[in-house]
Amino acid sequence: MSPELPRLLDYALALAREAGTHTARHFGKPIEVETKSDLSPVTVADRETEELCRRRIAGDWPDHGILGEEFGTVPDRGSGFQWVIDPIDGTKSFISGLPLYTVLLALLKDGKPILGIIHQPILDETVWAGVGLGAYYNGSPTWLRQQADLSKAWLMCTDPTHLLHEYPSAGLELFNSESIIRSWGDGYCYLLVASGRADIMNDPRMNLWDLACLKPIIEEAGGIFSDLEGNPGLGSSCLVANPSLHPTVLRLFRK
């Protein structure tokens, strides 16, 4: 564990909460929605919140790099640190008035995530972790639920149509195996898994700003993080579950 990590984690928590407060000023109010080149929605709240985070980091950690969903990459100045920002993960929930969007914040050291935060400001829920420091939900240690039976597991997903489009056979088999399936969650579903209130979350399409915070959180909470091919690094998809369920689910995608 880096001796700087506790201080960096405290800083990141304060920044994520400040960012969440800013998003909340726009939540539930009429807001103009634009469509980006990848056909995903974006609002002034997304952009303002990322700009806020970038200003804070540039002022407080000038040798750190930054990657954000809305404004791209600023390289580090030899420090090896890179902050990864998703100012509003779940913009569709945000613009629909559903309090399931989250602020995602991560810090990488030499390309590897060393801390992660998922913050939901409307419900005042936060899960965070630092490598070697454990995982916490609203200030208390947290672990994944140890459900071993797939037929009794609770599956979360962002949009089931994405999974069925990318993995029609595995997706259908997985959905038919579960006792409860819920969607609309984005980062909030990973918060539910990390805080022991759901068992499995997967996404077939993800970017670094979606993924970076998840690996330290899930692993410090006793779970397994991988892509849908089973690779443990930061890829373009994601599967998280406890050590009993993860290999069972992964086998469906490897058939």
Side-chain angles (χ1 to χ4, degrees):
M1 182 184 72
S2 167
E4 298 178 279
L5 189 53
R7 182 165 66 102
L8 287 164
L9 185 54
D10 286 344
Y11 176 86
L13 280 165
L15 181 59
R17 287 169 177 148
E18 183 181 6
T21 297
H22 189 83
T23 68
R25 293 171 184 160
H26 295 277
F27 183 71
K29 299 175 182 177
I31 194 167
E32 183 178 352
V33 181
E34 300 175 36
T35 301
K36 297 192 289 188
S37 60
D38 65 358
L39 303 182
S40 65
V42 65
T43 71
V44 66
D46 298 79
R47 293 180 174 135
E48 286 181 358
T49 303
E50 185 170 322
E51 288 172 332
L52 182 157
C53 292
R54 285 174 174 269
R55 285 195 305 272
R56 295 285 185 267
I57 293 167
D60 297 328
W61 308 95
D63 61 341
H64 288 197
I66 302 172
L67 169 65
E69 179 176 4
E70 309 306 335
F71 296 107
T73 303
V74 175
D76 72 89
R77 300 178 183 176
S79 69
F81 287 105
Q82 182 185 48
W83 293 89
V84 182
I85 308 162
D86 191 343
I88 296 180
D89 183 66
T91 301
K92 291 177 183 177
S93 293
F94 179 83
I95 62 181
S96 300
L98 292 173
L100 300 179
Y101 74 93
T102 53
V103 175
L104 306 183
L105 189 61
L107 181 62
L108 278 57
K109 174 64 172 174
D110 299 327
K112 298 180 180 179
I114 60 171
L115 68 81
I117 297 169
I118 305 173
H119 175 54
Q120 208 308 307
I122 308 303
L123 301 175
D124 193 22
E125 292 186 67
T126 311
V127 64
W128 69 88
V131 173
L133 297 177
Y136 295 84
Y137 169 70
N138 282 5
S140 297
T142 187
W143 295 272
L144 270 67
R145 186 161 58 188
Q146 295 305 302
Q147 174 58 256
D149 187 341
L150 186 60
S151 68
K152 297 178 181 178
W154 291 23
L155 170 68
M156 304 288 108
C157 62
T158 296
D159 185 339
T161 62
H162 290 171
L163 188 64
L164 292 173
H165 177 75
E166 300 284 343
Y167 298 89
S169 177
L172 186 59
E173 187 171 353
L174 181 60
F175 291 157
N176 286 334
S177 300
E178 303 299 325
S179 65
I180 293 180
I181 302 169
R182 291 294 181 268
S183 61
W184 273 96
D186 298 283
Y188 188 71
C189 284
Y190 292 96
L191 184 153
L192 289 175
V193 173
S195 57
R197 292 176 287 166
D199 301 300
I200 306 163
M201 174 61 178
N202 69 89
D203 271 300
R205 307 176 200 161
M206 299 191 83
N207 297 292
L208 183 58
W209 49 78
D210 304 309
L211 283 164
C213 72
L214 304 178
K215 185 175 174 66
I217 290 172
I218 295 300
E219 292 182 346
E220 289 293 316
I224 298 179
F225 170 99
S226 76
D227 65 15
L228 289 173
E229 304 300 320
N231 302 308
L234 302 177
S236 59
S237 62
C238 189
L239 169 64
V240 303
N242 69 45
S244 296
L245 289 173
H246 189 279
T248 303
V249 177
L250 190 59
R251 279 195 290 271
L252 300 180
F253 290 94
R254 286 177 162 174
K255 285 184 177 180

